[in-house]
Every structure is written in C-alpha cells, then in structure tokens.
Amino acid sequence: EDAGAAATPQAAAQAQAPEAKEVYQFQDLIGIMARFTEKDKKDFTETFWDGFVITTQQNMREANRVWEDRDNKVNRQMGLTKWISRISPVSAYIYAATDLADTGVEHDIYLREKVLKEYQSQFSQYLESQLGMPYEEMKRNLIPQTDVIRQPDLIENTISELEPFEPQPMPIPERIKKAAIDIGALFIFAVFFFMLAYMSFLRSQIID
C-alpha cells in the first residue's frame, strides 16, 4: 500500500506535466510560408500590418495627448505667473508691448496652441493615411523566399505631398485683445499714481 501511495503522486505529477511542444526553426517557417496561397499571403500581410498600423496610431494619439496635457499645464502656470506679476506696472507694460509686437508670452501660446497643434494634427493624419496602404500597392519580397510579408512604401518617399509648414503671425485684432488687460492695468496705474501725487501735493506745505 505504501508503494502504491508513493506511486500515486508520481503518476499524478506525470499526468499534470505539460506535453513537450514541437520546436520550429526559421527554415521550417520559410517552408510553411512558401506553401501559402496568394490569399494566405494577403491575409497574413494585412494582419501583420494592421497590428503595426493600429499600434502606431495608438502611440501617436497617446503622444499627442501627453503633449496636449503638458501644454495645458504650462499655459495655466504661465497665466498665473502673468496675473501675479501684473502687480508691477513694468510687467504690465512689457506684456502689453510684447503682445502687440507678437513677440511675448501670448505669441508662444498662440504658436503652440493654434499653429503647431493644427499642423501636428495634419501631420498625424497624413502619416496614418500613408500607413494604410492597400496590399496590391505594397512592395514584394520582404522575405524573398516566400513573398511574405509585403512592405509598404516608406513614408519619407512621399513626404513632399504634405503641405509645408508656414506659420502665420497672430492677427492684429487678436493681439489687441490679448494686450487689452495690460493696457487697462496701465491706465489704472496711471490714474492711481496721479491721484497719489495730487493728494501729496494738497497735503504738502507751501513755503513762501
């Protein structure tokens, strides 16, 4: 009975042991692919590239989301800094002058939020359109022995079809709108300091 009890766990362990898997060499894979029909090759290629395209698109969209989140945080920080620094008339003057000249903080935000963001969206859409190439238009002989997998044309070969990046300056009415707060702040400072000077003059003693 003891021998039978000892054999039982051993038999159970052997029954639970995974079966040995057959190992294929690369040449075996080449041989299997060589027997593919044209439909098999098309399905194999489209499955491979669909996975690649989907992964690439997801990575691009995630990168865009991360950059957009980063830009929003930077813009909020820059806006808070501007409001705090407006306590100084010098800061308000600099903001007004540089915003009107389209060289200040608002120019940087406009460039990232309007110009670069829009062009980045166009560029991402262009890349996605280039990745989704029909099977019949792909190059042959990525694996010469089997004609599998076919390979799309490289994107840089057709990048000239994308419209060139030509940033436009911020429109003047929008510049004035951005600088209006600082112009108003300068006006308030001017009235405030004038009233201080006037009150100081009234309280001063006039010496004959």
Side-chain angles (χ1 to χ4, degrees):
E1 292 181 359
D2 294 340
T8 301
Q10 182 177 2
Q14 291 177 354
Q16 294 178 359
E19 297 181 0
K21 295 183 179 180
E22 189 174 356
V23 179
Y24 289 93
Q25 301 296 327
F26 182 73
Q27 293 301 325
D28 298 329
L29 183 62
I30 293 295
I32 294 173
M33 289 183 174
R35 295 191 294 271
F36 276 9
T37 65
E38 190 62 26
K39 183 180 182 305
D40 293 333
K41 294 177 182 179
K42 181 177 180 180
D43 293 342
F44 187 82
T45 300
E46 289 181 344
T47 301
F48 177 85
W49 283 111
D50 283 348
F52 171 75
V53 170
I54 292 174
T55 302
T56 302
Q57 291 173 344
Q58 290 175 344
N59 290 340
M60 291 166 57
R61 290 166 186 163
E62 179 64 15
N64 291 339
R65 186 195 66 79
V66 171
W67 277 105
E68 183 176 357
D69 183 61
R70 176 259 183 194
D71 288 341
N72 291 336
K73 291 180 180 179
V74 170
N75 292 342
R76 287 196 296 269
Q77 185 175 8
M78 292 172 64
L80 177 62
T81 303
K82 285 186 67 174
W83 277 108
I84 295 176
S85 61
R86 282 190 178 107
I87 195 173
S88 168
V90 176
S91 296
Y93 172 78
I94 292 175
Y95 291 145
T98 54
D99 289 343
L100 288 175
D102 197 25
T103 58
V105 175
E106 294 299 333
H107 166 75
D108 179 70
I109 296 177
Y110 173 81
L111 185 63
R112 288 187 287 107
E113 287 295 309
K114 298 291 183 65
V115 181
L116 292 178
K117 187 176 181 179
E118 181 178 350
Y119 189 78
Q120 184 180 15
S121 176
Q122 295 176 1
F123 186 74
S124 298
Q125 293 175 5
Y126 175 79
L127 291 181
E128 291 186 13
S129 68
Q130 292 299 307
L131 289 172
M133 180 177 292
Y135 174 77
E136 290 76 12
E137 296 182 13
M138 295 182 182
K139 293 180 179 180
R140 292 177 178 269
N141 298 329
L142 183 59
I143 302 180
Q145 299 91 332
T146 64
D147 194 21
V148 177
I149 306 165
R150 292 193 185 185
Q151 180 184 20
D153 290 335
L154 298 178
I155 294 176
E156 54 264 31
N157 293 342
T158 59
I159 200 67
S160 58
E161 298 176 7
L162 182 66
E163 294 183 6
F165 177 63
E166 296 179 354
Q168 300 295 325
M170 183 187 297
I172 294 180
E174 191 168 349
R175 299 186 203 177
I176 297 175
K177 182 179 178 180
K178 296 291 185 182
I181 296 178
D182 297 295
I183 294 174
L186 288 174
F187 177 78
I188 293 174
F189 277 125
V191 174
F192 176 72
F193 287 126
F194 175 80
M195 293 300 298
L196 286 180
Y198 181 70
M199 295 298 296
S200 177
F201 174 76
L202 293 180
R203 293 181 180 181
S204 62
Q205 296 180 356
I206 300 177
I207 302 176
D208 295 334

